[in-house]
Amino acid sequence: DSLLQETLNLAMLSTRLFNTISRVAVRNFSNTKPALATFAVQDEAEFKEKVLGSATPVVVDFSATWCGPCKLLTPRLDAAIAATEGAVDLAIVDIDDLADIALEHGVNAVPTVLGIKDGQIVDKFVGLIDEDKLSAFINKLRE
């Protein structure tokens, strides 16, 4: 029974995610809106410039290719950030490639997500969270 319930929950999440991405994709086919502000951080210099030095608030997704929950969370974050239409950026940091950045920011589990505004951490969560909490997290950065 629990396996069936888990499968149903995953199917419902997948459907919601697909619907959200579909709406976001249609919304962003405009020549007046900026491109989606999601990027993978390549090195420490880029992190300092595009995250800590950004005038736009940034959600930083510390994840890993081997992390199952990360594979569920990252597309949800991407869709939620795209819905802000440029008000918030998303930086994805692979902890295996950039362990020093992860350690500097107290990351000891993945996924860990930081909300950074004006170079300062204003909010943080670890693990998967529901849609309401994710929206509240992103809206807090927009204030």
Side-chain angles (χ1 to χ4, degrees):
D1 271 353
S2 67
L3 181 60
L4 178 60
Q5 186 62 39
E6 200 171 314
T7 304
L8 287 172
N9 287 342
L10 188 58
M12 287 174 17
L13 175 66
S14 297
T15 302
R16 281 197 313 247
L17 179 61
F18 176 77
N19 290 338
T20 300
I21 291 171
S22 298
R23 285 194 308 272
V24 170
V26 169
R27 189 180 305 138
N28 285 322
F29 279 104
S30 167
N31 59 6
T32 59
K33 292 184 179 135
L36 291 179
T38 298
F39 58 94
V41 175
Q42 302 300 315
D43 55 39
E44 226 168 310
E46 183 180 32
F47 184 84
K48 286 178 181 166
E49 175 193 342
K50 289 186 173 181
V51 176
L52 299 178
S54 176
T56 304
V58 182
V59 170
V60 183
D61 177 15
F62 287 94
S63 60
T65 55
W66 47 263
C67 166
C70 300
K71 292 175 184 173
L72 294 173
L73 180 62
T74 300
R76 289 175 52 209
L77 282 171
D78 194 26
I81 295 298
T84 71
E85 298 180 340
V88 180
D89 291 342
L90 174 63
I92 300 170
V93 178
D94 187 318
I95 63 159
D96 291 326
D97 295 337
L98 300 168
D100 290 346
I101 296 173
L103 290 172
E104 285 171 22
H105 291 87
V107 175
N108 52 20
V110 287
T112 293
V113 179
L114 304 180
I116 297 182
K117 191 173 186 177
D118 300 321
Q120 301 297 315
I121 298 170
V122 295
D123 208 353
K124 171 182 179 175
F125 68 86
V126 179
L128 293 174
I129 60 174
D130 64 38
E131 295 298 324
D132 292 342
K133 289 180 183 168
L134 184 58
S135 294
F137 179 86
I138 291 170
N139 287 335
K140 183 176 180 179
L141 287 174
R142 296 177 76 174
E143 293 171 354

